[in-house]
């Protein structure tokens, strides 16, 4: 066992003395040491129940003959971090989580790992770590929040952000906003729509790294405690069979995840995280893969913010496996991929029925014949940009209008809420990419303000930053190259006509090439906003959004 390096032999007597100090018995040290990586904290609603999940996991490990040992992973709540300097620290925690987990797992020589994440960056960060460490590993998340109910309708966090915009537009009273505030987030768990946390937890099932229901069983259901116990037991089976993350997270598994992503209508952030996970297994992930897969993959689900259904509804309808079974009717999945069940994808999803065709459309009656995400290219985004096509109203799929250019999110929000943005406009927010942010902050406040002001079907937003999974509308992010490295988005001027054609996968600015070259010759880089600490180091090493914003030593 790997843990023999810290517990067996005369040279390890000092190590054993330290285990003795921890209260471990000889009998416990004779068993495999299983790291339980738990991101429990008291600031993230999706994580407040993870102590219960960890206790259940530890019980399952012990029942199956292992010795569970817990250590923490950090987590940022994107909602609480939204709209201020905290949002610069959201995406960057993905790499902190991966790095620190790698350090803990290898420093202490664990034989196996159980990862307990829940929210946006924890899931991909721990998947990246799992691929690096490559000891038998299984995932069990904290589960999604139940939807709130306001005036008889299901609601979620995106409704809350949009309510603030409606208040600014004068269409909602302060009392109405207060009612939303008290009701939209009624329980612990990852926010109840198909936002980034739930997208990544669902894709963990698809990748084969979590048991059935990991992405959809609500946080407050006792069924999730049982799932956690089974995850603890199952990691011991993985250890016996020496099934490791890189046996499971193959190129084909990544493509499966991208396929199901299209069917579910996942967050655009998955187009940052899947490339980063692929990078850890040595796969060269081009975001153009998305369009080829989207072309043949129907969109089967319209969960919030794209539609009126929520994670609890997806769970009742059969969950992720039911969606995968629908896709498999047209042979769209690599069913031979191995999973943490010890079985293949095909064996796992066999007989998993779609119990509600209103929540999961049958394969022959999809919302659209193409998938939920699209990658747009053109002279404004030569290396690509990403849009959640399934959350764009039909009249905005093709749009052109004058650019309204902002150098930061705050200025854009002020203009939107003060009525300076008009139907037909294209809001451009730049210098908020991975380097320029730094940290590629989410633009949920501007998109919510646009929707709340009643402009969601007439105004587009383009940025080199990214969007929350709670964003909807013609919101095009990850524009690459970003403004901070003189990407074309840095050269757009107020009033330039921007042309968006989502069906044709194009994003262009109607300015002659020679004019763009003249502007480029005059361009000067902006002074970095942050020059010290982790964000400065991150900005120096991070790659562009089209590469998943992975960290590399710059040559």
């Amino acid at each position: 066992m790997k843990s023999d390096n810290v517990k067996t032999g005369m040279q390890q007597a000092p190590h054993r003395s330290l285990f003795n100090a921890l209260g471990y018995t000889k009998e416990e040290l004779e068993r495999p040491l299983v790291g339980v990586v738990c991101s429990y904290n008291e600031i993230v609603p999706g994580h407040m129940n993870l102590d219960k999940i960890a206790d259940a996991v530890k019980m399952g490990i012990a029942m199956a003959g292992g010795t569970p040992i817990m250590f923490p992973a950090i987590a940022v709540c994107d909602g609480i971090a939204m709209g201020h300097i905290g949002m610069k620290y959201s995406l960057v925690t993905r790499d902190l989580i991966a790095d620190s987990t790698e350090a803990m797992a290898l420093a202490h020589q664990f034989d196996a790992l159980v990862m307990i994440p829940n929210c946006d960056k924890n899931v991909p960060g721990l998947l990246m770590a799992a691929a690096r460490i490559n000891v038998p590993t299984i995932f069990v998340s904290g589960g999604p929040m139940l939807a709130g109910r306001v005036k008889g309708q299901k609601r979620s966090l995106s409704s809350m952000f949009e309510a603030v915009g409606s208040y600014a537009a004068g269409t909602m009273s302060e009392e109405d906003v207060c009612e939303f505030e008290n009701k939209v987030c009624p329980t612990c768990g990852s926010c109840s729509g198909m936002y980034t946390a739930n997208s990544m937890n669902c894709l963990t099932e698809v990748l084969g790294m979590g048991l059935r229901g990991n992405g959809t069983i609500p946080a407050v259901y006792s069924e999730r405690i049982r799932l956690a116990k089974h995850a603890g037991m199952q990691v011991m089976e993985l250890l016996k069979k020496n099934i490791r993350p890189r046996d499971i997270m193959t190129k084909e598994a990544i493509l499966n995840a991208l396929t199901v992503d299209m069917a579910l209508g996942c967050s655009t952030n998955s187009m940052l995280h899947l490339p980063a996970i692929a990078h850890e297994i040595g796969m060269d992930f081009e975001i153009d893969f998305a369009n080829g897969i989207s072309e043949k993959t129907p969109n089967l689900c319209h969960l919030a913010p794209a539609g009126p259904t929520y994670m609890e509804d997806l769970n009742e309808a059969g969950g992720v496996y039911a969606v995968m079974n629908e896709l498999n009717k047209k042979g769209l999945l690599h069913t031979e991929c191995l999973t943490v069940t010890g079985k293949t994808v095909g064996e796992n999803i066999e007989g998993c029925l779609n119990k509600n065709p209103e929540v999961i459309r049958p394969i022959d009656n999809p919302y659209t014949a193409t998938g939920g995400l699209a990658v747009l290219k053109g002279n404004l985004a030569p290396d690509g940009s990403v849009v959640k096509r399934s959350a764009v109203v039909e009249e905005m799929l093709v749009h052109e209008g004058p650019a309204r250019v902002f150098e930061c999110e705050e200025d854009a929000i002020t203009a939107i809420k003060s009525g300076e943005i008009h139907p037909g406009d294209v809001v451009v927010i730049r210098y908020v990419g991975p380097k320029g942010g730094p940290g590629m902050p989410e633009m949920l406040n501007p998109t919510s303000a646009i929707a709340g002001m009643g402009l969601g079907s007439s105004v587009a937003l383009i940025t080199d930053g990214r969007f929350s999974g709670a964003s909807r509308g013609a919101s095009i992010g990850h524009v690459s190259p970003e403004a901070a490295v003189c990407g074309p988005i840095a050269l757009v001027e107020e009033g330039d006509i921007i042309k968006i054609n989502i069906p044709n996968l194009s994003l262009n600015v109607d300015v002659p090439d020679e004019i763009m070259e003249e502007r480029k010759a005059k361009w000067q880089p902006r002074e970095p906003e942050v020059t010290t600490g982790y964000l400065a180091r991150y900005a120096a090493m991070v790659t562009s959004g089209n590469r998943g914003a992975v960290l590399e030593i710059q040559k």
Side-chain angles (χ1 to χ4, degrees):
M1 288 187 292
K2 194 180 186 76
S3 62
D4 286 342
N5 290 329
V6 295
K7 66 184 187 184
T8 302
M10 186 54 65
Q11 288 299 317
Q12 280 65 42
H15 305 69
R16 289 194 297 275
S17 72
L18 294 168
F19 279 107
N20 288 339
L22 288 162
Y24 288 105
T25 64
K26 179 175 180 292
E27 290 80 4
E28 286 175 298
L29 294 182
E30 287 172 349
R31 295 178 171 193
L33 303 186
V34 181
V36 178
V37 189
C38 181
S39 55
Y40 167 77
N41 62 48
E42 296 180 342
I43 190 64
V44 184
H47 292 222
M48 65 179 284
N49 65 323
L50 296 192
D51 55 340
K52 306 293 189 298
I53 300 295
D55 287 344
V57 165
K58 289 164 73 175
M59 183 176 289
I61 292 168
M63 287 167 63
T67 297
I69 303 175
M70 189 169 71
F71 65 88
I74 64 166
V76 163
C77 176
D78 277 21
I80 295 174
M82 194 71 65
H84 55 90
I85 191 172
M87 184 40 63
K88 296 180 186 295
Y89 283 91
S90 171
L91 178 62
V92 305
T93 64
R94 185 186 70 185
D95 296 273
L96 279 176
I97 292 160
D99 292 349
S100 59
T101 303
E102 172 194 354
M104 287 292 289
L106 295 181
H108 301 102
Q109 294 291 286
F110 289 105
D111 297 302
L113 297 167
V114 180
M115 306 293 200
I116 309 178
N118 209 29
C119 289
D120 296 27
K121 309 311 164 304
N122 292 93
V123 187
L126 290 178
L127 285 165
M128 291 162 66
R132 286 185 205 171
I133 300 160
N134 204 35
V135 297
T137 302
I138 194 168
F139 277 66
V140 57
S141 77
M145 184 184 291
L146 294 177
R149 283 168 172 76
V150 181
K151 294 179 171 56
Q153 289 187 309
K154 287 185 177 181
R155 298 291 190 179
S156 62
L157 184 65
S158 55
S159 311
M160 183 71 254
F161 276 92
E162 290 178 14
V164 175
S166 297
Y167 175 77
T171 58
M172 188 175 283
S173 68
E174 186 174 347
E175 290 75 18
D176 288 333
V177 174
C178 186
E179 184 177 5
F180 271 74
E181 182 180 332
N182 285 296
K183 292 182 177 179
V184 297
C185 296
T187 71
C188 64
S190 47
C191 296
S192 55
M194 188 54 79
Y195 311 145
T196 306
N198 291 325
S199 295
M200 293 309 302
N201 279 321
C202 287
L203 295 185
T204 299
E205 277 191 62
V206 184
L207 285 167
M209 292 298 293
L211 297 175
R212 182 181 183 181
N214 181 61
T216 60
I217 297 170
V220 294
Y221 284 13
S222 297
E223 184 182 358
R224 184 155 288 277
I225 299 295
R226 298 197 298 272
L227 180 76
K229 290 176 183 175
H230 283 133
M233 291 184 247
Q234 187 59 28
V235 78
M236 298 306 294
E237 286 298 311
L238 296 174
L239 182 58
K240 287 176 189 174
K241 296 175 181 176
N242 196 29
I243 297 174
R244 303 180 181 218
R246 287 184 214 159
D247 300 322
I248 295 170
M249 289 193 286
T250 60
K251 176 181 178 180
E252 290 73 23
I254 297 283
L255 295 177
N256 278 347
L258 191 50
T259 298
V260 178
D261 186 323
M262 295 296 171
L264 285 172
C266 290
S267 163
T268 51
N269 281 318
S270 62
M271 292 301 292
L272 285 173
H273 301 323
L274 287 177
I277 295 162
H279 180 75
E280 297 294 342
I281 66 167
M283 175 186 173
D284 187 14
F285 187 110
E286 296 288 339
I287 62 170
D288 289 11
F289 289 157
N291 289 338
I293 288 178
S294 178
E295 190 176 333
K296 60 185 180 182
T297 306
N299 178 227
L300 304 182
C301 298
H302 268 191
L303 288 95
T309 54
Y310 293 81
M311 295 305 297
E312 62 201 63
D313 302 310
L314 179 59
N315 187 61
E316 294 300 319
V320 175
Y321 277 20
V323 175
M324 294 174 74
N325 199 33
E326 287 289 343
L327 294 172
N328 198 41
K329 291 175 182 177
K330 287 197 174 179
L332 295 175
L333 297 176
H334 296 276
T335 55
E336 75 287 354
C337 292
L338 186 63
T339 73
V340 290
T341 66
K343 300 176 182 178
T344 65
V345 166
E347 291 172 318
N348 285 344
I349 66 175
E350 186 176 359
C352 294
L353 300 179
N354 178 0
K355 300 174 184 177
N356 189 340
E358 297 301 313
V359 176
I360 304 171
R361 287 283 186 91
I363 193 76
D364 56 0
N365 182 34
Y367 282 101
T368 58
T370 53
L373 298 180
V375 173
L376 313 184
K377 285 190 171 183
N379 70 350
L380 189 52
D383 293 340
S385 61
V386 181
V387 62
K388 189 171 183 174
R389 173 164 42 189
S390 60
V392 179
V393 295
E394 187 172 354
E395 54 266 39
M396 290 298 290
L397 290 172
V398 178
H399 178 79
E400 65 177 74
R404 305 297 308 279
V405 182
F406 301 93
E407 311 294 311
C408 67
E409 174 188 4
E410 293 77 10
D411 289 349
I413 292 170
T414 298
I416 294 165
K417 289 187 174 179
S418 62
E420 296 173 31
I421 302 301
H422 307 292
D425 286 349
V426 179
V427 175
V428 177
I429 305 177
R430 62 191 181 190
Y431 292 100
V432 290
K435 284 185 180 295
M440 206 178 185
E442 289 182 342
M443 298 292 115
L444 177 57
N445 276 329
T447 59
S448 298
I450 287 169
M453 294 289 287
L455 298 170
S457 60
S458 61
V459 168
L461 193 153
I462 294 173
T463 180
D464 52 6
R466 61 194 179 92
F467 295 108
S468 164
S471 294
R472 62 187 176 99
S475 304
I476 301 168
H478 308 198
V479 170
S480 300
E482 63 174 291
V485 295
C486 197
I489 191 172
L491 310 177
V492 174
E493 295 184 358
E494 185 84 5
D496 287 347
I497 299 300
I498 291 178
K499 296 183 175 182
I500 301 164
N501 192 318
I502 295 174
N504 286 347
L505 307 173
S506 66
L507 178 63
N508 290 288
V509 57
D510 191 17
V511 174
D513 291 347
E514 56 270 23
I515 300 297
M516 292 293 279
E517 286 299 321
E518 288 175 10
R519 293 179 184 178
K520 185 174 182 178
K522 298 175 183 176
W523 179 83
Q524 293 292 323
R526 297 204 319 174
E527 288 296 316
E529 188 176 328
V530 180
T531 58
T532 60
Y534 178 57
L535 282 179
R537 296 198 303 275
Y538 181 90
M541 296 180 68
V542 71
T543 60
S544 64
N546 69 298
R547 296 192 55 207
V550 297
L551 300 186
E552 289 183 349
I553 296 172
Q554 305 295 302
K555 297 179 181 178

